[in-house]
PDB file of all heavy atoms in Angstrom:
ATOM      1  N   GLY O 242       1.702  20.080   8.710  1.00 98.00           N
ATOM      2  CA  GLY O 242       1.131  21.417   8.796  1.00 98.00           C
ATOM      3  C   GLY O 242       1.666  22.171  10.003  1.00 98.00           C
ATOM      4  O   GLY O 242       2.048  23.341   9.906  1.00 98.00           O
ATOM      5  N   GLN O 243       1.736  21.473  11.113  1.00 98.00           N
ATOM      6  CA  GLN O 243       2.166  22.117  12.352  1.00 98.00           C
ATOM      7  C   GLN O 243       3.664  22.431  12.333  1.00 98.00           C
ATOM      8  O   GLN O 243       4.082  23.499  12.771  1.00 98.00           O
ATOM      9  CB  GLN O 243       1.855  21.160  13.505  1.00 98.00           C
ATOM     10  CG  GLN O 243       1.822  21.830  14.846  1.00 98.00           C
ATOM     11  CD  GLN O 243       1.350  20.838  15.913  1.00 98.00           C
ATOM     12  OE1 GLN O 243       0.958  19.712  15.613  1.00 98.00           O
ATOM     13  NE2 GLN O 243       1.404  21.262  17.148  1.00 98.00           N
ATOM     14  N   TRP O 244       4.462  21.529  11.818  1.00 98.00           N
ATOM     15  CA  TRP O 244       5.919  21.705  11.882  1.00 98.00           C
ATOM     16  C   TRP O 244       6.465  22.624  10.799  1.00 98.00           C
ATOM     17  O   TRP O 244       7.523  23.224  10.969  1.00 98.00           O
ATOM     18  CB  TRP O 244       6.619  20.347  11.791  1.00 98.00           C
ATOM     19  CG  TRP O 244       6.393  19.458  12.982  1.00 98.00           C
ATOM     20  CD1 TRP O 244       5.497  19.661  14.010  1.00 98.00           C
ATOM     21  CD2 TRP O 244       7.071  18.230  13.279  1.00 98.00           C
ATOM     22  NE1 TRP O 244       5.569  18.631  14.902  1.00 98.00           N
ATOM     23  CE2 TRP O 244       6.521  17.739  14.494  1.00 98.00           C
ATOM     24  CE3 TRP O 244       8.074  17.494  12.632  1.00 98.00           C
ATOM     25  CZ2 TRP O 244       6.958  16.548  15.063  1.00 98.00           C
ATOM     26  CZ3 TRP O 244       8.491  16.311  13.213  1.00 98.00           C
ATOM     27  CH2 TRP O 244       7.944  15.835  14.425  1.00 98.00           C
ATOM     28  N   THR O 245       5.806  22.688   9.643  1.00 97.00           N
ATOM     29  CA  THR O 245       6.378  23.461   8.532  1.00 97.00           C
ATOM     30  C   THR O 245       5.473  24.579   8.040  1.00 97.00           C
ATOM     31  O   THR O 245       5.937  25.470   7.344  1.00 97.00           O
ATOM     32  CB  THR O 245       6.660  22.550   7.307  1.00 97.00           C
ATOM     33  OG1 THR O 245       5.404  22.107   6.769  1.00 97.00           O
ATOM     34  CG2 THR O 245       7.500  21.342   7.698  1.00 97.00           C
ATOM     35  N   GLY O 246       4.177  24.517   8.365  1.00 97.00           N
ATOM     36  CA  GLY O 246       3.255  25.518   7.849  1.00 97.00           C
ATOM     37  C   GLY O 246       2.756  25.225   6.441  1.00 97.00           C
ATOM     38  O   GLY O 246       2.023  26.020   5.864  1.00 97.00           O
ATOM     39  N   ILE O 247       3.144  24.071   5.890  1.00 98.00           N
ATOM     40  CA  ILE O 247       2.744  23.733   4.515  1.00 98.00           C
ATOM     41  C   ILE O 247       1.559  22.770   4.547  1.00 98.00           C
ATOM     42  O   ILE O 247       1.642  21.701   5.152  1.00 98.00           O
ATOM     43  CB  ILE O 247       3.916  23.066   3.757  1.00 98.00           C
ATOM     44  CG1 ILE O 247       5.124  23.991   3.680  1.00 98.00           C
ATOM     45  CG2 ILE O 247       3.471  22.621   2.370  1.00 98.00           C
ATOM     46  CD1 ILE O 247       4.949  25.204   2.795  1.00 98.00           C
ATOM     47  N   PRO O 248       0.443  23.127   3.877  1.00 97.00           N
ATOM     48  CA  PRO O 248      -0.689  22.205   3.800  1.00 97.00           C
ATOM     49  C   PRO O 248      -0.435  21.118   2.756  1.00 97.00           C
ATOM     50  O   PRO O 248       0.083  21.401   1.673  1.00 97.00           O
ATOM     51  CB  PRO O 248      -1.849  23.103   3.364  1.00 97.00           C
ATOM     52  CG  PRO O 248      -1.208  24.241   2.645  1.00 97.00           C
ATOM     53  CD  PRO O 248       0.174  24.413   3.218  1.00 97.00           C
ATOM     54  N   VAL O 249      -0.765  19.867   3.079  1.00 98.00           N
ATOM     55  CA  VAL O 249      -0.548  18.771   2.129  1.00 98.00           C
ATOM     56  C   VAL O 249      -1.831  17.980   1.924  1.00 98.00           C
ATOM     57  O   VAL O 249      -2.730  18.009   2.764  1.00 98.00           O
ATOM     58  CB  VAL O 249       0.565  17.801   2.599  1.00 98.00           C
ATOM     59  CG1 VAL O 249       1.882  18.529   2.744  1.00 98.00           C
ATOM     60  CG2 VAL O 249       0.193  17.110   3.901  1.00 98.00           C
ATOM     61  N   SER O 250      -1.880  17.265   0.788  1.00 98.00           N
ATOM     62  CA  SER O 250      -2.954  16.309   0.528  1.00 98.00           C
ATOM     63  C   SER O 250      -2.339  14.925   0.439  1.00 98.00           C
ATOM     64  O   SER O 250      -1.218  14.775  -0.049  1.00 98.00           O
ATOM     65  CB  SER O 250      -3.650  16.625  -0.798  1.00 98.00           C
ATOM     66  OG  SER O 250      -4.168  17.927  -0.761  1.00 98.00           O
ATOM     67  N   ILE O 251      -3.083  13.921   0.890  1.00 98.00           N
ATOM     68  CA  ILE O 251      -2.549  12.566   0.943  1.00 98.00           C
ATOM     69  C   ILE O 251      -3.516  11.592   0.298  1.00 98.00           C
ATOM     70  O   ILE O 251      -4.689  11.513   0.688  1.00 98.00           O
ATOM     71  CB  ILE O 251      -2.273  12.151   2.404  1.00 98.00           C
ATOM     72  CG1 ILE O 251      -1.348  13.191   3.057  1.00 98.00           C
ATOM     73  CG2 ILE O 251      -1.673  10.750   2.466  1.00 98.00           C
ATOM     74  CD1 ILE O 251      -0.923  12.854   4.473  1.00 98.00           C
ATOM     75  N   GLY O 252      -3.031  10.878  -0.714  1.00 98.00           N
ATOM     76  CA  GLY O 252      -3.818   9.835  -1.371  1.00 98.00           C
ATOM     77  C   GLY O 252      -3.221   8.479  -1.051  1.00 98.00           C
ATOM     78  O   GLY O 252      -2.008   8.309  -1.122  1.00 98.00           O
ATOM     79  N   ILE O 253      -4.070   7.531  -0.711  1.00 98.00           N
ATOM     80  CA  ILE O 253      -3.589   6.213  -0.276  1.00 98.00           C
ATOM     81  C   ILE O 253      -4.272   5.134  -1.120  1.00 98.00           C
ATOM     82  O   ILE O 253      -5.503   5.156  -1.280  1.00 98.00           O
ATOM     83  CB  ILE O 253      -3.898   6.003   1.221  1.00 98.00           C
ATOM     84  CG1 ILE O 253      -3.199   7.093   2.042  1.00 98.00           C
ATOM     85  CG2 ILE O 253      -3.452   4.612   1.684  1.00 98.00           C
ATOM     86  CD1 ILE O 253      -3.757   7.272   3.434  1.00 98.00           C
ATOM     87  N   ALA O 254      -3.466   4.206  -1.680  1.00 97.00           N
ATOM     88  CA  ALA O 254      -4.049   3.148  -2.518  1.00 97.00           C
ATOM     89  C   ALA O 254      -3.021   2.022  -2.704  1.00 97.00           C
ATOM     90  O   ALA O 254      -1.905   2.097  -2.184  1.00 97.00           O
ATOM     91  CB  ALA O 254      -4.455   3.715  -3.883  1.00 97.00           C
ATOM     92  N   ALA O 255      -3.430   1.018  -3.478  1.00 97.00           N
ATOM     93  CA  ALA O 255      -2.618  -0.202  -3.599  1.00 97.00           C
ATOM     94  C   ALA O 255      -1.365  -0.008  -4.449  1.00 97.00           C
ATOM     95  O   ALA O 255      -0.369  -0.710  -4.262  1.00 97.00           O
ATOM     96  CB  ALA O 255      -3.460  -1.325  -4.189  1.00 97.00           C
ATOM     97  N   THR O 256      -1.394   0.919  -5.408  1.00 97.00           N
ATOM     98  CA  THR O 256      -0.238   1.134  -6.288  1.00 97.00           C
ATOM     99  C   THR O 256       0.045   2.630  -6.380  1.00 97.00           C
ATOM    100  O   THR O 256      -0.780   3.455  -5.988  1.00 97.00           O
ATOM    101  CB  THR O 256      -0.498   0.609  -7.715  1.00 97.00           C
ATOM    102  OG1 THR O 256      -1.509   1.414  -8.316  1.00 97.00           O
ATOM    103  CG2 THR O 256      -0.943  -0.851  -7.696  1.00 97.00           C
ATOM    104  N   LYS O 257       1.203   2.960  -6.943  1.00 97.00           N
ATOM    105  CA  LYS O 257       1.551   4.375  -7.067  1.00 97.00           C
ATOM    106  C   LYS O 257       0.589   5.121  -7.989  1.00 97.00           C
ATOM    107  O   LYS O 257       0.168   6.248  -7.692  1.00 97.00           O
ATOM    108  CB  LYS O 257       2.967   4.509  -7.610  1.00 97.00           C
ATOM    109  CG  LYS O 257       4.066   4.261  -6.592  1.00 97.00           C
ATOM    110  CD  LYS O 257       5.404   4.447  -7.263  1.00 97.00           C
ATOM    111  CE  LYS O 257       6.532   4.655  -6.276  1.00 97.00           C
ATOM    112  NZ  LYS O 257       7.820   4.858  -6.972  1.00 97.00           N
ATOM    113  N   VAL O 258       0.242   4.491  -9.122  1.00 97.00           N
ATOM    114  CA  VAL O 258      -0.659   5.162 -10.063  1.00 97.00           C
ATOM    115  C   VAL O 258      -2.015   5.412  -9.402  1.00 97.00           C
ATOM    116  O   VAL O 258      -2.603   6.501  -9.545  1.00 97.00           O
ATOM    117  CB  VAL O 258      -0.817   4.334 -11.361  1.00 97.00           C
ATOM    118  CG1 VAL O 258      -1.944   4.868 -12.219  1.00 97.00           C
ATOM    119  CG2 VAL O 258       0.495   4.337 -12.150  1.00 97.00           C
ATOM    120  N   LEU O 259      -2.502   4.430  -8.632  1.00 98.00           N
ATOM    121  CA  LEU O 259      -3.781   4.626  -7.946  1.00 98.00           C
ATOM    122  C   LEU O 259      -3.647   5.635  -6.799  1.00 98.00           C
ATOM    123  O   LEU O 259      -4.593   6.377  -6.511  1.00 98.00           O
ATOM    124  CB  LEU O 259      -4.306   3.283  -7.420  1.00 98.00           C
ATOM    125  CG  LEU O 259      -4.801   2.314  -8.506  1.00 98.00           C
ATOM    126  CD1 LEU O 259      -5.170   0.962  -7.905  1.00 98.00           C
ATOM    127  CD2 LEU O 259      -5.989   2.882  -9.289  1.00 98.00           C
ATOM    128  N   ALA O 260      -2.492   5.696  -6.162  1.00 98.00           N
ATOM    129  CA  ALA O 260      -2.277   6.685  -5.097  1.00 98.00           C
ATOM    130  C   ALA O 260      -2.340   8.104  -5.676  1.00 98.00           C
ATOM    131  O   ALA O 260      -2.811   9.039  -5.030  1.00 98.00           O
ATOM    132  CB  ALA O 260      -0.948   6.447  -4.397  1.00 98.00           C
ATOM    133  N   LYS O 261      -1.852   8.251  -6.919  1.00 97.00           N
ATOM    134  CA  LYS O 261      -1.969   9.549  -7.595  1.00 97.00           C
ATOM    135  C   LYS O 261      -3.433   9.922  -7.788  1.00 97.00           C
ATOM    136  O   LYS O 261      -3.825  11.076  -7.588  1.00 97.00           O
ATOM    137  CB  LYS O 261      -1.281   9.469  -8.972  1.00 97.00           C
ATOM    138  CG  LYS O 261       0.206   9.721  -8.923  1.00 97.00           C
ATOM    139  CD  LYS O 261       0.456  11.210  -9.054  1.00 97.00           C
ATOM    140  CE  LYS O 261       1.928  11.509  -9.135  1.00 97.00           C
ATOM    141  NZ  LYS O 261       2.176  12.957  -9.141  1.00 97.00           N
ATOM    142  N   VAL O 262      -4.232   8.936  -8.200  1.00 98.00           N
ATOM    143  CA  VAL O 262      -5.669   9.180  -8.370  1.00 98.00           C
ATOM    144  C   VAL O 262      -6.280   9.559  -7.026  1.00 98.00           C
ATOM    145  O   VAL O 262      -7.034  10.521  -6.916  1.00 98.00           O
ATOM    146  CB  VAL O 262      -6.366   7.914  -8.938  1.00 98.00           C
ATOM    147  CG1 VAL O 262      -7.871   8.137  -8.997  1.00 98.00           C
ATOM    148  CG2 VAL O 262      -5.817   7.572 -10.317  1.00 98.00           C
ATOM    149  N   ALA O 263      -5.928   8.810  -5.999  1.00 98.00           N
ATOM    150  CA  ALA O 263      -6.467   9.071  -4.657  1.00 98.00           C
ATOM    151  C   ALA O 263      -6.100  10.477  -4.199  1.00 98.00           C
ATOM    152  O   ALA O 263      -6.883  11.158  -3.538  1.00 98.00           O
ATOM    153  CB  ALA O 263      -5.926   8.034  -3.677  1.00 98.00           C
ATOM    154  N   ASN O 264      -4.901  10.921  -4.594  1.00 97.00           N
ATOM    155  CA  ASN O 264      -4.466  12.253  -4.179  1.00 97.00           C
ATOM    156  C   ASN O 264      -5.357  13.351  -4.761  1.00 97.00           C
ATOM    157  O   ASN O 264      -5.675  14.338  -4.085  1.00 97.00           O
ATOM    158  CB  ASN O 264      -3.012  12.452  -4.597  1.00 97.00           C
ATOM    159  CG  ASN O 264      -2.395  13.638  -3.902  1.00 97.00           C
ATOM    160  OD1 ASN O 264      -2.585  14.762  -4.318  1.00 97.00           O
ATOM    161  ND2 ASN O 264      -1.690  13.386  -2.800  1.00 97.00           N
ATOM    162  N   LYS O 265      -5.749  13.179  -6.022  1.00 97.00           N
ATOM    163  CA  LYS O 265      -6.682  14.147  -6.630  1.00 97.00           C
ATOM    164  C   LYS O 265      -7.952  14.240  -5.794  1.00 97.00           C
ATOM    165  O   LYS O 265      -8.467  15.331  -5.545  1.00 97.00           O
ATOM    166  CB  LYS O 265      -7.053  13.686  -8.046  1.00 97.00           C
ATOM    167  CG  LYS O 265      -6.072  14.082  -9.131  1.00 97.00           C
ATOM    168  CD  LYS O 265      -6.663  13.734 -10.504  1.00 97.00           C
ATOM    169  CE  LYS O 265      -5.597  13.347 -11.503  1.00 97.00           C
ATOM    170  NZ  LYS O 265      -4.687  14.440 -11.856  1.00 97.00           N
ATOM    171  N   LEU O 266      -8.458  13.072  -5.381  1.00 97.00           N
ATOM    172  CA  LEU O 266      -9.694  13.058  -4.592  1.00 97.00           C
ATOM    173  C   LEU O 266      -9.469  13.663  -3.213  1.00 97.00           C
ATOM    174  O   LEU O 266     -10.357  14.304  -2.650  1.00 97.00           O
ATOM    175  CB  LEU O 266     -10.213  11.624  -4.470  1.00 97.00           C
ATOM    176  CG  LEU O 266     -10.639  11.030  -5.814  1.00 97.00           C
ATOM    177  CD1 LEU O 266     -10.862   9.541  -5.715  1.00 97.00           C
ATOM    178  CD2 LEU O 266     -11.899  11.723  -6.306  1.00 97.00           C
ATOM    179  N   ALA O 267      -8.261  13.459  -2.671  1.00 97.00           N
ATOM    180  CA  ALA O 267      -7.960  14.016  -1.349  1.00 97.00           C
ATOM    181  C   ALA O 267      -8.090  15.531  -1.372  1.00 97.00           C
ATOM    182  O   ALA O 267      -8.567  16.146  -0.416  1.00 97.00           O
ATOM    183  CB  ALA O 267      -6.558  13.595  -0.927  1.00 97.00           C
ATOM    184  N   LYS O 268      -7.660  16.140  -2.471  1.00 95.00           N
ATOM    185  CA  LYS O 268      -7.716  17.600  -2.553  1.00 95.00           C
ATOM    186  C   LYS O 268      -9.153  18.105  -2.482  1.00 95.00           C
ATOM    187  O   LYS O 268      -9.386  19.251  -2.084  1.00 95.00           O
ATOM    188  CB  LYS O 268      -7.053  18.079  -3.848  1.00 95.00           C
ATOM    189  CG  LYS O 268      -5.537  17.865  -3.850  1.00 95.00           C
ATOM    190  CD  LYS O 268      -4.833  18.692  -4.911  1.00 95.00           C
ATOM    191  CE  LYS O 268      -3.404  18.262  -5.145  1.00 95.00           C
ATOM    192  NZ  LYS O 268      -2.541  18.378  -3.957  1.00 95.00           N
ATOM    193  N   GLN O 269     -10.115  17.265  -2.903  1.00 92.00           N
ATOM    194  CA  GLN O 269     -11.515  17.697  -2.862  1.00 92.00           C
ATOM    195  C   GLN O 269     -12.231  17.198  -1.610  1.00 92.00           C
ATOM    196  O   GLN O 269     -13.378  17.547  -1.368  1.00 92.00           O
ATOM    197  CB  GLN O 269     -12.261  17.149  -4.104  1.00 92.00           C
ATOM    198  CG  GLN O 269     -11.633  17.557  -5.425  1.00 92.00           C
ATOM    199  CD  GLN O 269     -11.885  16.531  -6.519  1.00 92.00           C
ATOM    200  OE1 GLN O 269     -12.719  15.639  -6.387  1.00 92.00           O
ATOM    201  NE2 GLN O 269     -11.150  16.646  -7.627  1.00 92.00           N
ATOM    202  N   ASN O 270     -11.580  16.326  -0.833  1.00 91.00           N
ATOM    203  CA  ASN O 270     -12.294  15.678   0.271  1.00 91.00           C
ATOM    204  C   ASN O 270     -11.518  15.739   1.581  1.00 91.00           C
ATOM    205  O   ASN O 270     -11.174  14.711   2.161  1.00 91.00           O
ATOM    206  CB  ASN O 270     -12.564  14.206  -0.066  1.00 91.00           C
ATOM    207  CG  ASN O 270     -13.541  14.053  -1.211  1.00 91.00           C
ATOM    208  OD1 ASN O 270     -14.736  14.249  -1.044  1.00 91.00           O
ATOM    209  ND2 ASN O 270     -13.027  13.737  -2.382  1.00 91.00           N
ATOM    210  N   GLY O 271     -11.216  16.944   2.017  1.00 90.00           N
ATOM    211  CA  GLY O 271     -10.657  17.074   3.353  1.00 90.00           C
ATOM    212  C   GLY O 271      -9.198  16.725   3.510  1.00 90.00           C
ATOM    213  O   GLY O 271      -8.714  16.614   4.626  1.00 90.00           O
ATOM    214  N   GLY O 272      -8.490  16.503   2.415  1.00 96.00           N
ATOM    215  CA  GLY O 272      -7.038  16.382   2.532  1.00 96.00           C
ATOM    216  C   GLY O 272      -6.479  14.975   2.582  1.00 96.00           C
ATOM    217  O   GLY O 272      -5.322  14.768   2.267  1.00 96.00           O
ATOM    218  N   VAL O 273      -7.285  13.980   2.969  1.00 98.00           N
ATOM    219  CA  VAL O 273      -6.800  12.596   2.986  1.00 98.00           C
ATOM    220  C   VAL O 273      -7.857  11.716   2.341  1.00 98.00           C
ATOM    221  O   VAL O 273      -9.051  11.851   2.644  1.00 98.00           O
ATOM    222  CB  VAL O 273      -6.528  12.103   4.432  1.00 98.00           C
ATOM    223  CG1 VAL O 273      -5.941  10.693   4.402  1.00 98.00           C
ATOM    224  CG2 VAL O 273      -5.589  13.051   5.158  1.00 98.00           C
TER     225      VAL O 273
END
Side-chain angles (χ1 to χ4, degrees):
Chain O
Q243 199 174 354
W244 292 10
T245 68
I247 300 291
V249 299
S250 301
I251 305 184
I253 300 162
T256 67
K257 282 181 162 181
V258 169
L259 289 174
K261 275 272 185 185
V262 175
N264 195 279
K265 276 188 212 294
L266 295 168
K268 291 197 193 299
Q269 303 151 13
N270 293 285
V273 184

